[in-house]
Amino acid sequence: MAFPEPKPKKPELPKKLVQNLECKQGAVRAVRFNVDGNYCLTCGSDKSLKLWNPHKGTLLKTYSGHGYEVLDAAGSFDNSQLCSCGADKTVVLWDVASGQVIRKFRGHAGKVNCVQFNEEATVILSGSIDSSVRCWDCRSRRPDPIQILDEAKDGVSSLKVSDYEILSGSVDGRVRRYDLRAGELYSDYIGSPVTSVCFSKDGQCTLAASLDSTLRLLDKDTGELLGEYTGHKNTAYKLDCCLSEKDTHVASCSEDGKVYFWDLVEGSLMLSLPVGRGVVQSLSFHPSEPGLLTATEGHVQFWREESHMAEKQLPGC
């Protein structure tokens, strides 16, 4: 006789503070989990990029080579390389273990806001205030990009990459999706400057945050508006938004020092998490567990669900 499946647990939201990292790199402009959620990257206004184990609260390495503020970073699928971008107009490819710069890509005409690897970490994509997305070949010595996507009419603020798509958000108020298989460009007009975009985990939807203090969930294929999420404050800063690890909740930074969570389907506000006094500028959701990283001023906080047992720091570690 087969036993019935246990009832799935209700998804928990990360609201218990388990680590508070003092990053010592000026203002933290962005915080990003790596691909498996075991490590994270912090981008500093002091030109440095740092690698951490947020579960233990330990600093693992510091990467120095940018000439100005670091604004975004990403890790490769195998954790062997990092890419970062900054206000010095450059995109940098790093070797994780040695901390050395492998390549520096120059070509953007203004500060570079966002950076992503493709799935195989053979190409870096970067979006800039110069209104372009540029694609750089990590393996060739060519100094120029292999492709420039210049459809945006204003700065590119956010960028995400799937196995065959590029999703970009621009200050011109549009979310653009480049379908590389079909060779098609799809554009959805939001109307307010877009500050952050992301795919849902199931690949069916896109989420866009804009400066009218609204998040919008769009059907990826039709562009239909599936949901709107409001209550937070975002009128002046480039703030991150994301979906939870199982697509059950939508999360956003806010200029009032909190992170807001909404139920994806119902659109109702589920939690406003007090993080700090200043603007919460960046967040990153754990890829497979209810874990959240937040960045405000010079600190990064790591939040877990109420039932989580924190990793204990062993003496002498």
Side-chain angles (χ1 to χ4, degrees):
M1 168 182 140
F3 287 103
E5 288 283 319
K7 199 169 165 209
K9 285 205 307 253
K10 257 187 92 176
E12 288 188 88
L13 289 174
K15 50 186 170 187
K16 181 167 85 171
L17 182 64
V18 291
Q19 293 289 350
N20 188 9
L21 313 176
E22 192 185 344
C23 297
K24 296 182 178 156
Q25 51 184 154
V28 178
R29 295 299 182 212
V31 60
R32 302 285 179 248
F33 269 115
N34 76 321
V35 66
D36 55 17
N38 291 334
Y39 306 101
C40 73
L41 296 161
T42 56
C43 306
S45 65
D46 73 344
K47 315 177 195 174
S48 74
L49 175 67
K50 292 188 177 185
L51 177 68
W52 304 80
N53 178 334
H55 304 271
K56 292 181 174 167
T58 49
L59 174 64
L60 302 173
K61 208 163 190 69
T62 301
Y63 302 85
S64 303
H66 273 287
Y68 210 58
E69 291 188 296
V70 187
L71 297 175
D72 196 13
S76 65
F77 72 99
D78 59 359
N79 292 326
S80 68
Q81 295 181 334
L82 307 173
C83 61
S84 63
C85 64
D88 58 1
K89 309 180 191 175
T90 66
V91 175
V92 181
L93 176 66
W94 308 84
D95 179 67
V96 168
S98 69
Q100 297 298 305
V101 173
I102 302 170
R103 293 287 309 278
K104 218 175 226 193
F105 300 102
R106 294 181 175 87
H108 279 296
K111 72 175 183 179
V112 188
N113 288 320
C114 44
V115 70
Q116 289 272 295
F117 277 113
N118 69 336
E119 240 185 351
E120 299 84 31
T122 53
V123 175
I124 297 171
L125 296 103
S126 56
S128 165
I129 198 171
D130 70 7
S131 314
S132 75
V133 173
R134 290 173 191 244
C135 310
W136 312 92
D137 188 343
C138 300
R139 297 174 299 183
S140 99
R141 306 305 298 172
R142 274 176 52 184
D144 47 331
I146 46 178
Q147 192 168 5
I148 300 174
L149 310 172
D150 56 4
E151 285 75 18
K153 304 286 185 285
D154 207 330
V156 177
S157 59
S158 182
L159 200 57
K160 293 291 183 295
V161 181
S162 75
D163 52 353
Y164 65 96
E165 298 159 302
I166 301 165
L167 185 69
S168 75
S170 169
V171 181
D172 67 10
R174 288 188 179 271
V175 175
R176 292 176 175 83
R177 181 171 63 90
Y178 299 85
D179 185 321
L180 304 177
R181 281 182 190 161
E184 297 280 352
L185 165 61
Y186 301 93
S187 174
D188 292 303
Y189 186 59
I190 300 290
S192 175
V194 177
T195 62
S196 179
V197 291
C198 60
F199 289 108
S200 59
K201 299 281 185 298
D202 65 7
Q204 303 294 305
C205 308
T206 58
L207 182 69
S210 49
L211 288 182
D212 55 358
S213 300
T214 307
L215 270 64
R216 291 173 178 85
L217 187 71
L218 305 173
D219 183 290
K220 195 179 79 175
D221 294 324
T222 65
E224 182 190 350
L225 182 63
L226 301 175
E228 287 192 341
Y229 310 91
T230 55
H232 64 300
K233 182 172 189 283
N234 184 12
T235 56
Y237 291 86
K238 173 176 139 44
L239 305 184
D240 290 335
C241 65
C242 68
L243 290 118
S244 63
E245 86 284 7
K246 290 194 174 79
D247 279 346
T248 54
H249 292 86
V250 170
S252 174
C253 294
S254 179
E255 290 162 16
D256 62 5
K258 296 181 181 139
V259 168
Y260 286 75
F261 288 93
W262 296 265
D263 183 284
L264 177 119
V265 177
E266 293 172 11
S268 52
L269 183 63
M270 302 300 285
L271 173 68
S272 62
L273 182 70
V275 175
R277 287 194 304 273
V279 175
V280 183
Q281 190 161 8
S282 183
L283 56 74
S284 185
F285 213 98
H286 193 285
S288 58
E289 294 169 10
L292 178 77
L293 291 168
T294 54
T296 178
E297 294 166 331
H299 290 78
V300 164
Q301 299 79 20
F302 185 33
W303 308 84
R304 291 299 305 245
E305 71 279 21
E306 293 281 15
S307 58
H308 175 74
M309 299 297 289
E311 280 187 34
K312 290 284 181 283
Q313 178 88 51
L314 294 173
C317 278

